[in-house]
Amino acid sequence: MQSTQYQSKTLRALNDDCLRMIYAFLRPQGALRPLSLTCRWLREDTKPVLFERSYAIAAKLDGTEGLPPPVLWPYIRCIVFLGPFDMPIEVPTFSEGFIHGQRIARTCSEMPQLHGIVVESKEDAKQTSWPFSHITAPAKPRYRSPDLGIPWDIISILLTTPQVREFHVRGPFLQMGDVPPWYRDFNPSPLTSFQITLGQRDRYPWGVRYEQEALAIILRALSTSLQTLSLPSESLPLHSMTLWRWPRLQHLCICGHARSIAQTDIPLFRVLSRMPSLVTLSLLLAPSTDDDLQPVIPARFNVDTLPWPELRSLATYCPSPMDQILDHLPPTLDHLSLRSWPRSYQYYLNRGHGQIRRPWAFITPLVSDVLRALHRIGDRRLALKRLEVAYSHTEEEEQELELVRYISAAFPDLQALYLHRNQRASTTLPPMNAIAKAVSCLQHLRLLRIYLDIHEYGERRGRRAPISRRSSSKTIDRHVAEAVAAVVDNPGPSLQYLHLLPAPSLDTRWRVYRLERDQAGVVHAYLEDDAPDFLGYSVVGDD
């Protein structure tokens, strides 16, 4: 009894900031809820962290069971609406939209700490397990979901909630067939973050014009307050965005089909030049042909310096020689990603399963193209900390080694190097011994991340065999062991982790090896099953 009192007094002696840090650390691991059940004091003290992110079922807002209990509302900082806003069959759409809107408006207004709203508008969001026992999945016989996305009336209510500053939609944004009225006096809350995230399976060709109109209405009112903006390229209101200034925007991500931007005949630079505070710029665009990849800064623009003096991270497809973006990178840049989207392992895996029918093709630059682009950067002596390059290995092995050697010589301050190797019509494994020797001279390298792309090919040259006929697990394990041994035999002085992805897999889980040195200086590699993300790189997928 004395020991229990001593521990309780010791825990209560910590200040509120320390306790919040402990609670925030325990929550992602699932340990905070059991701790909160140990005593009444801990239950009350952990509520602000335990319930700061709560969930509601979008399809069941006509009743009370789809919402968190009112007793939790004072603690909620972010509310997540799960599943599409389905409409009951027996209730007219207008009436149901009115019921949803009134309930959402009243609920959000009574959450004083509410800061962010997330909408999981995907169809499969309804099949997830709900975080609260009082929330049950919607009854399927009563509900239908012909239209994914969010009705405009609901969008306007969510965006005008006074205390909300962050808004994120995962899945289709505007409900198909819903036409937004042109509200010239539409005044949403001054959001700092507005994001629409679409996966490969969520992209849709319908309703793009109406969604562009809706985004034009929203972004016109938010352009002066936004700090983070993420949009799909298919619904980007590019014409309207050239008319506004974005003085506070720091993080911009445009992801999707490259042709949707190329067809507008408006260079992206006309929009990007109005964003002087950019810190992170991600242009993840998938082409159908080489003509879809328009230069970010065409040659006709007379540019001496980039309009982003504080840019620190740039992710884009390997630029053509006609693109000026690599010629004027600021000295603040420490993260460069010359990558493809989608990743090659995701493109081929999804195509092989028949899950994705997309208008784009998978195109990656040759090793010589990437090397030519890096030469343009290396002459500027940038102090890059993280570098990612994606390339197709269809040339001689010496070309690939020349690329790795140049990276080691031109960017000595690298802490993370990501080699995304797409073999295409080649069946050779990467020369891991030579690669390991080349990067071992990097004195600050902490993470080496390599996509090995181990596979077998069918009868046609360059055509991949089905997953069932690809390399067996024993073959893959043998090649991975050889790659790990090559790095262990040639370790850099500061290398801590080795990430390897052997071949496309359903969960896209990287194999993480932690490198440790014993007292004799011998390096050992240990496979970690539950490794955390490292230097911003995820171990389960990375798109």
Side-chain angles (χ1 to χ4, degrees):
M1 184 68 181
Q2 184 177 0
S3 176
T4 303
Q5 292 178 351
Y6 176 78
Q7 293 176 0
S8 177
K9 290 181 179 179
T10 303
L11 186 61
R12 294 193 183 196
L14 297 176
N15 58 44
D16 292 341
D17 292 338
C18 290
L19 289 174
R20 295 298 180 270
M21 291 177 61
I22 294 174
Y23 300 155
F25 175 77
L26 293 176
R27 186 185 181 189
Q29 305 177 27
L32 183 58
R33 188 179 297 274
L35 177 66
S36 67
L37 300 176
T38 56
C39 70
R40 182 178 300 176
W41 173 76
L42 277 173
R43 179 66 174 177
E44 294 299 323
D45 201 53
T46 57
K47 278 184 178 180
V49 178
L50 190 62
F51 299 113
E52 65 178 357
R53 185 180 180 92
S54 297
Y55 297 79
I57 300 178
K60 303 194 72 175
L61 294 179
D62 56 338
T64 58
E65 60 179 351
L67 293 170
V71 69
L72 302 181
W73 293 359
Y75 309 107
I76 296 177
R77 290 184 52 82
C78 177
I79 185 168
V80 182
F81 293 94
L82 294 168
F85 287 84
D86 294 344
M87 304 301 176
I89 296 176
E90 66 272 14
V91 180
T93 301
F94 175 80
S95 174
E96 178 62 16
F98 179 78
I99 294 174
H100 279 187
Q102 292 297 316
R103 188 171 297 277
I104 291 175
R106 184 172 64 253
T107 300
C108 292
S109 64
E110 296 182 12
M111 297 180 180
Q113 302 296 327
L114 188 62
H115 183 78
I117 293 178
V118 178
V119 180
E120 297 272 3
S121 63
K122 301 179 182 180
E123 176 69 21
D124 57 359
K126 295 189 298 184
Q127 308 303 326
T128 59
S129 58
W130 313 118
F132 299 106
S133 59
H134 70 277
I135 302 180
T136 57
K140 280 193 172 182
R142 187 185 173 208
Y143 288 87
R144 59 179 172 84
S145 55
D147 305 331
L148 300 181
I150 315 171
W152 171 255
D153 292 339
I154 304 297
I155 292 175
S156 61
I157 289 175
L158 295 177
L159 294 179
T160 54
T161 303
Q163 66 271 36
V164 171
R165 293 296 178 266
E166 297 179 359
F167 184 75
H168 191 179
V169 178
R170 297 191 181 102
F173 179 57
L174 184 67
Q175 195 170 79
M176 186 180 69
D178 200 356
V179 181
W182 188 258
Y183 286 127
R184 297 189 180 276
D185 56 347
F186 180 68
N187 295 314
S189 299
L191 301 184
T192 59
S193 177
F194 183 88
Q195 301 182 66
I196 301 175
T197 304
L198 291 178
Q200 294 185 46
R201 298 175 180 83
D202 303 322
R203 300 195 172 270
Y204 48 94
W206 58 80
V208 172
R209 182 172 67 88
Y210 295 134
E211 188 159 301
Q212 288 177 345
E213 293 178 2
L215 288 174
I217 296 172
I218 296 169
L219 296 180
R220 181 183 60 175
L222 298 178
S223 62
T224 57
S225 65
L226 281 179
Q227 299 178 15
T228 300
L229 177 63
S230 179
L231 295 175
S233 63
E234 293 86 350
S235 53
L236 194 69
L238 203 58
H239 288 85
S240 301
M241 293 178 68
T242 60
L243 305 176
W244 311 318
R245 292 196 175 275
W246 311 78
R248 294 183 175 87
L249 191 63
Q250 299 181 7
H251 310 282
L252 174 66
C253 178
I254 301 175
C255 181
H257 194 192
R259 180 172 295 180
S260 59
I261 294 180
Q263 290 177 342
T264 62
D265 295 328
I266 298 179
L268 270 176
F269 188 65
R270 290 194 183 277
V271 178
L272 300 178
S273 61
R274 293 177 169 267
M275 303 173 177
S277 302
L278 276 183
V279 176
T280 302
L281 175 60
S282 299
L283 303 175
L284 310 181
L285 302 175
S288 297
T289 63
D290 290 333
D291 295 336
D292 291 340
L293 294 170
Q294 302 294 321
V296 179
I297 307 179
R300 66 176 183 270
F301 285 89
N302 187 13
V303 178
D304 294 329
T305 58
L306 293 184
W308 321 302
E310 300 178 0
L311 188 68
R312 298 191 59 183
S313 176
L314 173 64
T316 182
Y317 187 86
C318 183
S320 66
M322 303 300 294
D323 197 337
Q324 302 182 68
I325 190 169
L326 295 185
D327 299 327
H328 307 288
L329 294 177
T332 56
L333 192 75
D334 60 12
H335 177 207
L336 177 64
S337 179
L338 303 181
R339 54 160 296 180
S340 58
W341 187 91
R343 305 284 189 184
S344 61
Y345 49 77
Q346 294 181 341
Y347 175 83
Y348 286 116
L349 179 65
N350 291 321
R351 189 184 67 169
H353 277 71
Q355 296 171 333
I356 294 181
R357 304 292 182 188
R358 295 296 173 244
W360 56 70
F362 179 71
I363 302 176
T364 48
L366 299 175
V367 177
S368 55
D369 297 331
V370 176
L371 185 58
R372 190 179 303 111
L374 291 180
H375 271 290
R376 296 166 58 188
I377 303 172
D379 296 339
R380 299 182 59 81
R381 300 297 179 184
L382 297 177
L384 293 180
K385 298 296 189 297
R386 292 186 292 165
L387 175 64
E388 172 187 348
V389 290
Y391 54 89
S392 296
H393 179 64
T394 59
E395 302 162 284
E396 296 295 331
E397 182 178 292
E398 189 60 32
Q399 282 271 11
E400 186 174 10
L401 294 180
E402 182 182 356
L403 172 65
V404 179
R405 292 189 186 112
Y406 180 78
I407 290 174
S408 301
F411 308 106
D413 298 324
L414 282 181
Q415 297 182 9
L417 176 60
Y418 182 0
L419 302 177
H420 188 95
R421 186 180 190 268
N422 177 39
Q423 296 197 100
R424 296 179 70 178
S426 172
T427 57
T428 60
L429 291 173
M432 286 301 303
N433 284 308
I435 290 177
K437 289 180 181 179
V439 301
S440 62
C441 63
L442 292 172
Q443 300 298 310
H444 307 287
L445 190 66
R446 302 170 59 193
L447 171 64
L448 179 60
R449 185 178 174 98
I450 302 178
Y451 173 51
L452 299 176
D453 199 16
I454 302 172
H455 58 265
E456 297 172 354
Y457 287 87
E459 297 178 358
R460 296 183 184 179
R461 179 176 175 82
R463 182 174 180 178
R464 294 173 181 260
I467 293 178
S468 59
R469 299 212 312 266
R470 292 187 188 172
S471 302
S472 63
S473 59
K474 291 184 178 180
T475 303
I476 291 178
D477 292 342
R478 176 169 55 84
H479 291 318
V480 171
E482 294 173 356
V484 174
V487 175
V488 169
D489 292 339
N490 302 277
S494 57
L495 192 62
Q496 296 177 260
Y497 282 95
L498 173 65
H499 290 184
L500 297 176
L501 182 63
S505 59
L506 293 177
D507 59 354
T508 316
R509 180 175 292 275
W510 290 73
R511 301 192 186 187
V512 178
Y513 294 89
R514 177 172 47 84
L515 305 182
E516 288 189 357
R517 292 167 174 79
D518 57 20
Q519 295 181 351
V522 180
V523 177
H524 303 275
Y526 300 95
L527 180 64
E528 291 191 349
D529 294 331
D530 298 323
D533 297 348
F534 189 66
L535 294 180
Y537 290 100
S538 172
V539 298
V540 181
D542 50 6
D543 271 346

